[in-house]
């Protein structure tokens, strides 16, 4: 399960980088809006991971590994 979680985290991280780049550089409003929505979904996932990590008693280090930055 660790490999699956790590792979998903890598995908989210790449999406985050790509979206941030689109928000800064795109002149197309729909691209910027879609990038913002995708970043919002990643942030929501981070919040859920923090809540679940606290719920299950994960250490701070374990919870920080669940976050997409």
């Amino acid at each position: 399960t660790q490999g699956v979680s790590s792979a998903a985290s890598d995908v989210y991280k790449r999406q985050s980088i790509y979206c941030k780049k689109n928000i800064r550089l795109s002149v197309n409003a729909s691209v910027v809006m879609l990038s913002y929505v995708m970043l919002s979904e990643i942030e929501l996932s981070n919040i859920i991971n923090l809540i679940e990590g606290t719920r299950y008693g994960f250490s701070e280090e374990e919870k920080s590994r669940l976050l997409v930055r």
Side-chain angles (χ1 to χ4, degrees):
T1 58
Q2 182 68 12
V4 172
S5 177
S6 177
S9 180
D10 289 343
V11 169
Y12 280 136
K13 186 172 184 175
R14 279 185 274 139
Q15 283 180 344
S16 175
I17 292 168
Y18 184 71
C19 288
K20 289 174 185 176
K21 177 181 164 189
N22 281 341
I23 289 171
R24 283 193 315 266
L25 302 176
S26 181
V27 294
N28 188 340
S30 60
V31 170
V32 173
M33 181 57 98
L34 183 59
S35 295
Y36 177 75
V37 169
M38 290 176 69
L39 278 177
S40 296
E41 289 177 359
I42 292 170
E43 287 298 317
L44 180 60
S45 174
N46 280 341
I47 292 169
I48 291 169
N49 286 340
L50 283 174
I51 291 170
E52 291 295 320
T54 302
R55 177 181 180 189
Y56 292 111
F58 289 0
S59 69
E60 294 298 317
E61 182 180 315
E62 290 172 318
K63 287 190 278 189
S64 70
R65 281 186 280 173
L66 296 174
L67 300 179
V68 176
R69 298 192 174 137

